[in-house]
Amino acid sequence: MGTQVKDVVIKSDAPSALLLDKHADYIAAYGSKKDDYEYTLSEYLRMSGIYWGLTVMDLMGQLTRMNQQEISDFIKSCQHDCGGVSASIGHDPHVLYTLSAVQILSLYDNVNVLDVDKVVEYVRGLQQEDGSFAGDKWGEIDTRFSFCAVATLALLGRLDAINVDKAVEFVLSCMNFDGGFGCRPGSESHAGQIYCCTGFLSIAGQLHQVNADLLGWWLCERQLPSGGLNGRPEKLPDVCYSWWVLASLKIIGRIHWIDKSKLRSFILACQDEETGGFADRPGDMVDPFHTLFGVAGLSLLGEGQIKDVNPVLCMPEDVLERLGLHPDLLS
Amino acid sequence: MFYRDRKEWADLEPVPQDDGPNPVVKIAYSDKFTDVYDYFRALLKNDEKSDRAFTLTAEAIELNAANYTVWHYRRVLLQALEKDLREEMRYITAIIEDQPKNYQVWHHRRMVVEWLNDPSEELEFIAEILSQDAKNYHAWQHRQWVLKEYKLWDSELEYVEQLLEEDVRNNSAWNQRHYVISHTTGYSDPSILNREVQYSLKQIKKAPHNESVWNYLKGILQDRGLSSHPGLLEQILELKETHCSPYLLGFLVDIYEDSLENTSGDQVEVLSKALELCELLAQERDTIRREYWSYVGRSLQTKYCSGDPSTTSSEQHESPILGMKP
């Protein structure tokens, strides 16, 4: 019954070997090329961009190639009076960039570059009456921000600062009929949101509230014939879903439901042999975001050359070891 | 003309981009971008609330609509200068048409709608955006908010059906169907539940390989019992002959599992059929998910195999995939 499945076809000459050195060179040089319009345009997310770059370098054992002092100084200049951190200098604070900043400083074991108490106050202040979290003072609500809030506080050892029970109540209210989660109650299930919600529930110690078999099935249904993963039904595969979907499956103890070798082939095919880095799908332009999630996905698949990555926080396991953080995983 | 060359802006000292102390790199910007953002930073620094500032935010947005700080500032100015919000809505509409996947502009729209307390244009506007990309996640979130906040449910089910006519595989539309019914009639009324079941089966006939409709069907029945819905098993078995798919086979497994869970009495036949399907899916029909189907088979076996050595089921279903031994 020749039904058209929305998918990509991997060409026979697509990369099939892991090119870690090229990726490290790509990240190390990112932002220093002459034609930097893309870099300029992404200033509004610079803090997250730095987190992506540093994390992937650390996973590849190449963190020392990055400039710790410069980055720490930059982060310090991005903390505002309210305690929140902005994406870059002169931008407004937001919980997304507050998390990225704390993740970066955790890699360097130097969170005290920030006024930690003020960060905690900022995050606490974003919680709403229904338990949800706004992203900033302008009030957008999204389960992504619930994740950012608890992840930030967990890294700082200050989860007690918020009403965890209420926060859990809100996230659970975003669970849908298919077992997945969306950004707000009723929103369509989406792999990115599912990662945020399962990560949230892990940190909050409430993973037992997930219907793991039902959600696990929805997640493994993301795998297409090409081996790649999409984010919701009838969408094209994208290498970043190798993270969102795979990490979620790992958190709920069902990562073996994915055909690992087919996924691995897809991820490797997303590499650019000339420039280094990963693109969303084979043949497209690379960027640091997809590079991190391609490498992190391979780590979850057991790639020997890459450090173990923690599926909840998307940070190297050895960093979390040092912090004594062991978020729950289902078995 | 660059701002740096305009007489009316000569009073401001432009603020160049600060990429942090000792930037390693020299960044190449376009001239216009540099000029506009240097003056934006100057305005921010002086906390200037003026019409020229308001005009400049539009230019800054045009150059980089994802810069959330510019949107914040624009909102502050909208209020401080008491700008015409209806005109602002027209502006927002134009930006969304051009960049429909930008988070900031959708949130901005919601805020202005709230300030105006007027949703009258929203459903039509969102429909227009969805006509260009029927799965735009931002558009759907905004739509759900409008419907719920202003209780505009009346025509929504009809709208969803129209979208499903156009593309029966639109997962967002199926999600919306669930959203509308949950917020209006609910599914407890048996005639409504059956209406939805029959509607789903009809769509399955049109496009059997459609994950969304099967998720929907399972979703609306799972709390009420798949195996107890009158006539459903028979209808599915009929469909199996002419409109089969891995989803249908998986759904059958779900029905059998529900039957095993909720019916008393001898279920050997049912278990046997369920295990056979799991094997078929693992070996042939959905091999990429063979681990999942093996798991389901093993779980059923463990839970429902009577353990009576005289039963045939455990002997017949010893297989390499399911790895079962009696």
Side-chain angles (χ1 to χ4, degrees):
Chain A
M1 219 182 249
T3 326
Q4 202 83 335
V5 177
K6 214 159 173 181
D7 196 1
V8 300
V9 176
I10 300 180
K11 297 201 195 128
S12 54
D13 62 349
S16 56
L18 181 55
L19 309 161
L20 283 183
D21 287 339
K22 291 223 80 118
H23 304 319
D25 289 344
Y26 166 70
I27 296 290
Y30 187 76
S32 64
K33 297 192 291 282
K34 291 265 171 68
D35 179 12
D36 288 348
Y37 203 49
E38 175 204 315
Y39 184 76
T40 310
L41 281 185
S42 59
E43 187 190 293
Y44 73 93
L45 55 65
R46 181 67 61 237
M47 196 61 71
S48 295
I50 295 173
Y51 154 71
W52 301 327
L54 292 187
T55 303
V56 74
M57 290 299 265
D58 197 354
L59 288 175
M60 296 189 289
Q62 303 274 323
L63 185 59
T64 50
R65 286 170 74 174
M66 310 304 279
N67 189 325
Q68 176 173 355
Q69 188 58 52
E70 183 189 310
I71 290 165
S72 302
D73 291 342
F74 172 73
I75 292 176
K76 201 182 174 90
S77 330
C78 289
Q79 183 168 31
H80 291 242
D81 291 339
C82 61
V85 182
S86 52
S88 187
I89 297 168
H91 288 249
D92 288 346
H94 196 287
V95 77
L96 290 169
Y97 311 113
T98 303
L99 171 61
S100 293
V102 170
Q103 285 172 307
I104 294 164
L105 293 174
S106 298
L107 288 182
Y108 286 133
D109 196 10
N110 203 0
V111 287
N112 292 305
V113 161
L114 292 169
D115 181 333
V116 169
D117 286 338
K118 295 229 84 179
V119 171
V120 173
E121 274 317 297
Y122 175 72
V123 173
R124 184 215 297 270
L126 293 172
Q127 187 166 28
Q128 309 297 302
E129 271 192 46
D130 63 359
S132 67
F133 283 84
D136 63 19
K137 70 183 187 197
W138 292 97
E140 186 191 355
I141 304 295
D142 191 322
T143 48
R144 285 182 297 148
F145 308 147
S146 300
F147 172 76
C148 291
V150 299
T152 301
L153 296 177
L155 285 168
L156 299 175
R158 303 287 299 271
L159 212 46
D160 55 292
I162 53 158
N163 186 334
V164 176
D165 288 343
K166 262 289 178 188
V168 169
E169 205 182 293
F170 175 75
V171 168
L172 291 178
S173 76
C174 298
M175 193 187 298
N176 293 319
F177 61 88
D178 49 23
F181 295 83
C183 71
R184 290 186 280 280
S187 302
E188 186 185 359
S189 297
H190 182 289
Q193 311 291 151
I194 289 169
Y195 163 75
C196 291
C197 292
T198 52
F200 170 94
L201 291 169
S202 161
I203 293 170
Q206 296 289 316
L207 274 175
H208 55 276
Q209 309 253 26
V210 171
N211 185 334
D213 282 351
L214 181 63
L215 178 56
W217 184 82
W218 190 94
L219 287 167
C220 76
E221 276 288 318
R222 295 308 106 238
Q223 191 161 32
L224 294 163
S226 65
L229 308 178
N230 62 20
R232 43 183 173 140
E234 287 298 311
K235 288 265 181 166
L236 288 172
D238 182 327
V239 94
C240 69
Y241 292 112
S242 307
W243 177 259
W244 311 124
V245 173
L246 214 57
S248 302
L249 280 168
K250 180 81 184 178
I251 292 169
I252 64 172
R254 278 133 175 87
I255 196 173
H256 52 289
W257 288 358
I258 287 289
D259 182 321
K260 292 188 178 180
S261 86
K262 292 198 96 175
L263 176 59
R264 186 171 185 276
S265 301
F266 175 85
I267 298 174
L268 292 175
C270 293
Q271 298 173 108
D272 187 317
E273 283 170 322
E274 282 177 37
T275 61
F278 289 72
D280 59 353
R281 50 192 76 96
D284 281 356
M285 285 218 19
V286 303
D287 61 49
F289 173 85
H290 291 96
T291 302
L292 169 61
F293 295 122
V295 170
L298 288 170
S299 171
L300 284 181
L301 292 176
E303 184 62 47
Q305 295 177 68
I306 304 170
K307 280 199 206 173
D308 286 345
V309 70
N310 179 273
V312 173
L313 287 158
C314 195
M315 293 167 67
E317 284 286 11
D318 57 15
V319 173
L320 298 191
E321 265 305 313
R322 185 192 357 105
L323 292 170
L325 263 182
H326 303 104
D328 296 342
L329 302 179
L330 292 179
S331 54
Chain B
M1 198 197 221
F2 291 127
Y3 283 91
R4 62 178 180 252
D5 299 324
R6 299 187 207 190
K7 278 205 318 288
E8 334 75 82
W9 288 79
D11 61 299
L12 268 182
E13 185 71 47
V15 177
Q17 174 56 30
D18 180 357
D19 287 306
N22 309 313
V24 173
V25 308
K26 193 168 179 229
I27 295 174
Y29 301 87
S30 83
D31 266 356
K32 180 167 183 185
F33 192 98
T34 312
D35 181 61
V36 169
Y37 272 91
D38 282 355
Y39 278 84
F40 175 67
R41 282 183 280 270
L43 293 167
L44 267 187
K45 189 172 173 184
N46 296 347
D47 197 23
E48 181 175 316
K49 300 200 174 67
S50 64
D51 262 318
R52 70 175 182 178
F54 186 72
T55 308
L56 190 139
T57 60
E59 282 210 53
I61 285 166
E62 190 181 351
L63 290 166
N64 192 357
N67 189 321
Y68 60 98
T69 298
V70 180
W71 285 104
H72 294 181
Y73 198 59
R74 190 175 173 90
R75 275 196 286 281
V76 165
L77 293 171
L78 278 171
Q79 295 194 302
L81 304 173
E82 294 179 347
K83 300 300 274 182
D84 181 343
L85 294 180
R86 301 216 174 265
E87 207 183 306
E88 184 67 1
M89 285 297 286
R90 286 192 287 277
Y91 170 72
I92 294 168
T93 293
I95 303 280
I96 292 178
E97 288 278 357
D98 193 43
Q99 303 183 60
K101 294 201 179 174
N102 171 302
Y103 278 102
Q104 286 72 35
V105 65
W106 281 101
H107 184 65
H108 187 74
R109 187 180 182 99
R110 173 169 160 165
M111 296 212 67
V112 176
V113 168
E114 279 178 330
W115 290 346
L116 280 169
N117 197 29
D118 177 9
S120 60
E121 295 177 3
E122 295 318 280
L123 295 183
E124 194 181 319
F125 168 70
I126 301 163
E128 154 58 25
I129 297 298
L130 289 174
S131 73
Q132 296 163 39
D133 173 4
K135 300 177 189 181
N136 183 322
Y137 201 74
H138 307 278
W140 282 111
Q141 297 339 299
H142 188 69
R143 195 174 183 89
Q144 289 194 339
W145 170 72
V146 169
L147 289 169
K148 185 159 189 230
E149 184 75 9
Y150 299 99
K151 300 177 184 18
L152 297 172
W153 303 104
D154 286 352
S155 314
E156 191 65 3
L157 191 56
E158 195 186 310
Y159 175 66
V160 166
E161 283 203 17
Q162 179 202 317
L163 287 183
L164 289 173
E165 274 297 303
E166 289 164 22
D167 178 8
V168 71
R169 291 195 178 86
N170 184 337
N171 194 65
S172 308
W174 283 102
N175 183 71
Q176 189 74 347
R177 191 176 183 94
H178 192 271
Y179 186 76
V180 173
I181 294 175
S182 304
H183 281 88
T184 52
T185 57
Y187 289 91
S188 344
D189 179 344
S191 67
I192 297 211
L193 182 61
N194 195 49
R195 178 196 77 196
E196 291 303 300
V197 169
Q198 297 313 317
Y199 177 81
S200 303
L201 294 175
K202 190 167 151 209
Q203 307 316 314
I204 286 165
K205 285 203 185 88
K206 279 195 215 160
H209 284 264
N210 179 358
E211 188 190 338
S212 305
V213 64
W214 289 103
N215 284 352
Y216 180 75
L217 189 55
K218 180 169 166 183
I220 61 178
L221 287 170
Q222 60 197 351
D223 292 336
R224 294 161 185 89
L226 273 70
S227 62
S228 55
H229 192 84
L232 180 62
L233 176 59
E234 289 69 33
Q235 285 185 286
I236 300 288
L237 288 171
E238 237 181 80
L239 273 177
K240 182 165 175 271
E241 299 312 305
T242 48
H243 297 81
C244 200
S245 70
Y247 306 114
L248 184 147
L249 299 175
F251 191 79
L252 264 179
V253 173
D254 289 332
I255 295 182
Y256 292 142
E257 181 169 10
D258 186 67
S259 172
L260 289 165
E261 176 93 9
N262 296 305
T263 318
S264 53
D266 191 1
Q267 295 278 351
V268 169
E269 266 298 305
V270 175
L271 177 62
S272 160
K273 285 185 193 155
L275 293 177
E276 215 174 282
L277 285 170
C278 288
E279 182 140 348
L280 179 64
L281 284 157
Q283 298 261 42
E284 259 181 65
R285 307 298 289 272
D286 196 21
T287 57
I288 204 169
R289 275 167 279 278
R290 71 186 88 74
E291 289 297 328
Y292 172 73
W293 296 116
S294 308
Y295 168 82
V296 175
R298 281 197 307 276
S299 307
L300 290 173
Q301 184 91 344
T302 308
K303 202 165 173 189
Y304 298 108
C305 191
S306 67
D308 177 346
S310 68
T311 60
T312 53
S313 60
S314 50
E315 285 163 23
Q316 283 175 357
H317 294 281
E318 188 180 297
S319 77
I321 289 292
L322 297 182
M324 292 307 306
K325 290 190 187 306

